[in-house]
Amino acid sequence: MCFLMDLWNLTAGKVHATDYTNACRTMLFNIHSLCWDRELLELFQIPACLLPEVRRSWGRFGSMRADLIPGLQADICGMCGDQQAALFGHGCLKPGSIKNTYGTGCFLLLNTGDKPAASKQGLLTTLTAQTSYGKPVYALEGSVFAGGATVQWLRDGLKILDKAADSEALAKSVPDADGVVFVPAFTGLGAPYWDMYARGTISGLTRGTRREHIVRAALEAIAFQSLDVIEAMRLDSGQTVSAIRVDGGASANNFLMQFQADISCCRVIRPELQETTAWGAAALAGLGAEIWRAPQDIFTVLCAERTFTSKMLPKDRARAATRWQKAVARTCSR
């Protein structure tokens, strides 16, 4: 829990506080009552006096110590966990709004509003950066272990790519994956399966399989894994998901984004500003510094760089999803 000491260190021990999004990551914070959970503290024998005060994600937390950056006197006006900052940075302020960060893994959050969704699909219920005193705003979160890591493995492991960016052109050079399905369970499967013993498979190989088919199947796998989490979120929340806001390195891959739109039957919205987590943190600090008065005032400046819409026929979508689920079933350890 060293991250709870960041503000303490930044303010030279003058302020011991954190925000709701970081507090709930400790698993000691009650996300319903918005306070440290007395039962858990007693169970783990943690004195409540050791834990920081918990505040909303924007406001004046304190002043940064002068020796960190000589000549700069700065107030600390925002604090947030990285995925919640990305959710906020995308302007996902309403229930049903969802974001997906395509990094080494994929990290999806769905805003569920003031009602916490108790997941039956292996997802995490968490607090968002909108949470304020006595007014929780919740999200469902799901993590995919192998997102961009799948393409990295093609480049560094199999060495069938010179650069990760080459994957887009190779995937587009064939009309389909020719029956090849790649389940990249290198370190097990994350949400909604949570199978640590699953291991990766590439199925459907024939003498006609070329590297282009494997590369295309790898990119499709990133979208399929994200779809599994989206479907779990739909079931848990009862929300209709019609658009996915995206960021992260792999979101620059146009083939992947188009396939994500196709297979999920959602609009995929890629913003002009790709550093969405940093923007979310900066926007929260701007609220804390009273540059803006309310979160809704901020996101009029956001623009979409490109929006991808589904072009896949329903029968083709159903056939592809069935093929993926069969491949996952063969991969799982149970």
Side-chain angles (χ1 to χ4, degrees):
M1 296 195 296
C2 61
F3 62 90
L4 295 183
M5 300 298 293
D6 289 346
L7 186 64
W8 173 268
N9 290 321
L10 286 171
T11 60
K14 293 179 180 178
V15 184
H16 189 32
T18 190
D19 83 304
Y20 293 113
T21 66
N22 282 294
C24 69
R25 283 297 194 257
T26 66
M27 300 183 69
L28 297 173
F29 191 76
N30 190 313
I31 63 173
H32 306 287
S33 62
L34 300 185
C35 61
W36 297 109
D37 192 283
R38 183 177 300 175
E39 183 178 354
L40 290 173
L41 296 185
E42 290 177 355
L43 177 65
F44 292 107
Q45 299 181 354
I46 299 173
C49 62
L50 294 180
L51 295 169
E53 175 192 355
V54 184
R55 307 178 187 177
R56 68 180 182 182
S57 295
W58 70 91
R60 294 185 183 273
F61 285 88
S63 296
M64 189 174 70
R65 54 194 253 202
D67 63 319
L68 287 179
I69 305 178
L72 176 65
Q73 182 64 43
D75 287 335
I76 299 167
C77 296
M79 182 182 298
C80 192
D82 59 347
Q83 297 310 320
Q84 289 97 330
L87 186 74
F88 189 81
H90 277 294
C92 294
L93 305 181
K94 296 180 180 179
S97 53
I98 187 173
K99 75 88 186 172
N100 189 5
T101 298
Y102 296 82
T104 302
C106 295
F107 303 94
L108 296 92
L109 266 75
L110 170 73
N111 186 322
T112 62
D114 60 0
K115 299 293 189 296
S119 179
K120 297 180 180 178
Q121 309 296 322
L123 304 176
L124 172 70
T125 305
T126 189
L127 293 168
T128 75
Q130 288 171 259
T131 296
S132 192
Y133 308 111
K135 297 180 180 179
V137 179
Y138 297 97
L140 283 169
E141 181 174 1
S143 301
V144 171
F145 291 162
T150 307
V151 179
Q152 291 170 358
W153 181 73
L154 296 179
R155 182 193 65 198
D156 303 333
L158 286 190
K159 300 187 185 303
I160 61 175
L161 292 175
D162 292 326
K163 305 187 301 293
D166 294 341
S167 60
E168 181 180 335
L170 285 169
K172 288 180 175 178
S173 70
V174 289
D176 54 48
D178 196 31
V180 177
V181 184
F182 187 176
V183 183
F186 302 119
T187 55
L189 289 171
Y193 304 102
W194 295 117
D195 185 349
M196 64 183 292
Y197 298 108
R199 287 296 176 265
T201 61
I202 302 177
S203 58
L205 298 174
T206 69
R207 287 287 297 271
T209 300
R210 306 199 310 271
R211 69 167 179 156
E212 291 87 349
H213 298 124
I214 294 174
V215 170
R216 182 173 178 127
L219 293 177
E220 290 180 356
I222 299 171
F224 277 123
Q225 290 177 103
S226 297
L227 175 64
D228 288 342
V229 178
I230 293 167
E231 291 298 337
M233 288 176 166
R234 283 170 169 160
L235 288 171
D236 276 335
S237 68
Q239 300 281 355
T240 299
V241 177
S242 59
I244 308 165
R245 298 184 179 275
V246 300
D247 64 287
S251 70
N253 189 302
N254 291 325
F255 171 83
L256 172 57
M257 295 299 98
Q258 182 59 55
F259 191 78
Q260 188 73 79
D262 287 338
I263 203 64
S264 60
C265 200
C266 291
R267 288 178 296 123
V268 171
I269 302 169
R270 186 171 64 197
E272 287 182 343
L273 182 61
Q274 286 289 294
E275 297 298 333
T276 314
T277 302
W279 160 241
L284 287 165
L287 276 174
E290 300 179 351
I291 296 173
W292 295 287
R293 292 186 176 183
Q296 293 79 4
D297 298 338
I298 300 170
F299 298 102
T300 56
V301 300
L302 287 182
C303 297
E305 179 266 326
R306 183 168 175 181
T307 298
F308 300 83
T309 57
S310 179
K311 300 177 182 178
M312 186 178 283
L313 295 174
K315 64 177 182 179
D316 295 333
R317 186 181 303 115
R319 188 182 302 116
T322 299
R323 188 163 56 240
W324 166 257
Q325 290 298 331
K326 287 181 178 179
V328 170
R330 290 191 293 266
T331 302
C332 288
S333 64
R334 52 185 182 273

